[in-house]
Amino acid sequence: MSEFDSERRIMVDGQIRTADVTDRRLQSALLAVPRERFMPKAKAPQAYADTEVEVGTGRWMMRPRDFAKLAQAAAIRSTDIVLDLAIGRGYSSAVLSRVAETVVGVESDESLLERAERNLAATGSDNAVVIKGDLKVGAPDQGPFDVIFVNGAVDEPARAWFDQLADGGRLAVVVRKGPVGKATIFTRSGASVGERVVFDATPHRLPEFVREPGFVF
């Protein structure tokens, strides 16, 4: 067992299970995916720390605890089609691909997208595909989706995301309008959408969703 393998086990035991993440499939996925592979080499030692790690301009890997709790709250089934937004170097897609039927990852940064493709291929995430696109637009040609997962905080969800949810589909995202964000599950039921706050979190806001300051007269 390598040092990273040991740290991965410690992460799951000390950060994930203790945060009431009881989904065994998700725990197994987190144990199987080498988180360090999806980081810049210089930051690999931070892979299993209880913190966010910047992996590219405007892209951060969420705290392991926050990522796992949000993924569990999305209640991903083995038959689900998942849209994974702002994938950075592909870690989230690699994990989610192990609990879903198919994952479609969207990234707007070309260099990150290429790294994600290589990382997913190297880790055997064969049911995950990645495409370049606008995060606010999503992937309308690939939907509808049972789950949409967002890697980062937004002031408010994009309208297009709700349109791409299947009936009964869930949008998992941290809505952050102030210093503390609310990890929220939005569920579509016919033409209506319900929402449920599941925990507090403070991931970085996605640059694409940071509101421009208004003019003051």
Side-chain angles (χ1 to χ4, degrees):
M1 178 180 290
S2 72
E3 178 183 349
F4 282 127
D5 291 337
S6 177
E7 290 181 2
R8 194 176 311 122
R9 170 64 68 178
I10 292 170
M11 178 194 75
V12 172
D13 289 342
Q15 298 177 47
I16 306 306
R17 291 193 172 103
T18 57
D20 295 325
V21 178
T22 57
D23 186 326
R24 293 187 181 276
R25 295 183 309 126
L26 183 56
Q27 291 177 5
S28 295
L30 291 164
L31 285 169
V33 177
R35 187 174 165 93
E36 70 278 3
R37 162 122 202 160
F38 296 83
M39 293 186 168
K41 286 185 178 180
K43 296 185 178 182
Q46 303 175 47
Y48 300 101
D50 182 21
T51 186
E52 286 184 275
V53 178
E54 188 174 17
V55 296
T57 303
R59 294 292 180 266
W60 295 72
M61 287 175 70
M62 297 172 70
R63 286 176 63 197
R65 166 211 181 257
D66 292 347
F67 171 76
K69 285 178 70 69
L70 189 60
Q72 175 171 266
I76 301 171
R77 302 170 298 233
S78 60
T79 55
D80 282 348
I81 310 299
V82 177
L83 176 62
D84 188 22
L85 297 172
I87 64 171
R89 295 178 178 233
Y91 175 75
S92 56
S93 292
V95 174
L96 299 178
S97 73
R98 284 162 169 76
V99 295
E101 180 175 306
T102 302
V103 175
V104 177
V106 175
E107 178 52 65
S108 58
D109 184 303
E110 186 72 43
S111 63
L112 287 175
L113 189 73
E114 292 173 357
R115 290 179 182 276
E117 288 179 327
R118 293 198 296 269
N119 289 335
L120 290 167
T123 53
S125 307
D126 299 331
N127 59 329
V129 297
V130 296
I131 60 176
K132 187 174 187 294
D134 184 333
L135 302 185
K136 291 183 177 180
V137 174
D141 295 339
Q142 306 290 328
F145 298 98
D146 301 296
V147 173
I148 297 177
F149 189 93
V150 185
N151 291 279
V154 302
D155 288 332
E156 60 182 38
R159 179 68 252 175
W161 298 346
F162 297 110
D163 295 336
Q164 291 168 52
L165 283 176
D167 192 20
R170 289 86 65 204
L171 166 63
V173 61
V174 177
V175 179
R176 187 173 180 182
K177 298 181 180 179
V180 178
K182 303 294 183 182
T184 307
I185 302 297
F186 296 88
T187 303
R188 180 172 182 174
S189 179
S192 63
V193 175
E195 64 181 274
R196 173 173 61 94
V197 174
V198 286
F199 62 95
D200 292 345
T202 55
H204 281 75
R205 289 183 175 87
L206 294 170
E208 294 89 340
F209 292 84
V210 175
R211 290 178 178 174
E212 294 292 334
F215 289 104
V216 177
F217 295 96

